[in-house]
Amino acid sequence: MLLIAVAAVRISSRSGLPSLLLYLGIGVAIGQDGIGNIAFDNAELTQVIGYAALVVILAEGGLGTKWTEVRPALPAAAVLSTVGVAVSVGVTAAGAHYLVGLDWRQALIVGAVVSSTDAAAVFSVLRKVPLPSRITGTLEAESGFNDAPVVILVVAFSTAGPIEHWYVLLGEIALELAIGAALGIAVGFLGAYGLRRVALPASGLYPIAVMAIAVVAYAAGALAHGSGFLAVYLASMILGNAKLPHAPANRGFAEGLGWIAQIGMFVLLGLLVTPHDLINDFWPAVVIGLVLTMVARPLEVLVSLLPFRIPWQEQALMSWAGLRGAVPIILATIPMVAQVEGSERIFNIVFILVVVYTLIQGPTLPWLAKALRLGASSEASDLGVESAPLERLRGHLLSVAIPEGSRMHGVEVAELRLPAGAAVTLVVREDKSFVPGPATVLRHGDELLVVATDPVRDATERRLRAVGQGGKLAGWLGTGGGSTALGPPPGTETRFHRAGQRSGHRQKKPAG
């Protein structure tokens, strides 16, 4: 089974298809009507495991979210995740009712379930196509935010009894989102504050602590009758952008857990479906998917982004990039657990819709991005900077990788103009190390070791990133990074290692 999962990862990365299809296929293949003929129909267990996996996936997504990219896109993403969801639910439900014949309750459930997008599916096919940060930031933030209101809507529509006052439902959604956001931000900042100041006995405990904080954020939100999913995403995003010890290891650990969660969840969802029951619901799913893809999603993007004056090319790509993945299939188990009439048909429709339209949209996304001339990026490559605190010496050892495209190429060491208290002590070039002089010219592929005292550690990193973005004239040409700079330039990412009492440096291949 493990070998099959590994093979699925490799096929997914090479073919450009979202991995969820391969994992779902594994589940279907070993389930009923498959080679394994395993009978599994426990929707409640699937929902519990799916929720747990979704917490891990959201935590991993939040830890990998760059605040510098998401911050400008937050207003647009917030509108897409609220107003846009409402538009999508209404239009899709109307299509399901009038074109397919579902009653209004079933139609609203289907409309709500398929209104959540999946960033993992989007970026798995766009990873080779660089996009403007506004697009990636908006899509990523939208996928992290819209899970919360969609879950609330699906639960509300699946609850027995009619909804008498729609404004009461909107008020409950707003309250749950506010509680979840407040607790997520609080837990994130408190967790980051604690991890920066508490020296754990082993470096391997930091990734576990980060994931534990993310789970605490979800639990706090859920216990306070707020949105636990929004809480875990916001808390993880704060942790991912804080100056935490061993930040690369933290993200790597979360990424590994995310893969395990996705594989297990999708295989289980594939087991839950019965292939021969899908035949009668194939064309209804195709019709609802057409309404969602060709009408609801474009209208959702148009209405939500109207105040932001985003070019039509970017709106067109965002409309087509509304891939559905793990969340809709998980949410389709909620009406099954609530024993809503026709819930099995709802699950089959959602399952077919996700598979069919991911097969159609996924492979065509890179082509559309290039056709709309959104696949090129002329920005300078960012430096890879890692830091190991030298606690006893009250200093920091920074490892700086110079990738292809960095404007630090051709700059002399003296032209870096690092603040007093910082110095380049070693250069690793083509697997050879040497101590540089003031006139040493830096090149692509070099890795530098920079020692900085504690007071100038942040100013040193800002200066290094500024030179990487603007070259030797950074500062005079409008690129920040001097000792008085207020923050890193846009598009940068900081990664940290904490060495504790015995700090060391592990040589890495240069980025780029």
Side-chain angles (χ1 to χ4, degrees), residues 334-386:
I334 294 178
M336 296 179 69
V337 174
Q339 297 182 347
V340 175
E341 183 180 355
S343 58
E344 292 185 1
R345 188 185 186 196
I346 292 174
F347 182 87
N348 292 339
I349 288 175
V350 172
F351 187 93
I352 297 170
L353 187 153
V354 169
V355 172
V356 171
Y357 284 91
T358 301
L359 280 172
I360 295 174
Q361 291 174 269
T364 57
L365 269 174
W367 172 84
L368 181 61
K370 293 178 181 179
L372 295 173
R373 298 182 179 180
L374 296 174
S377 176
S378 59
E379 296 180 0
S381 300
D382 187 28
L383 298 176
V385 181
E386 299 181 10

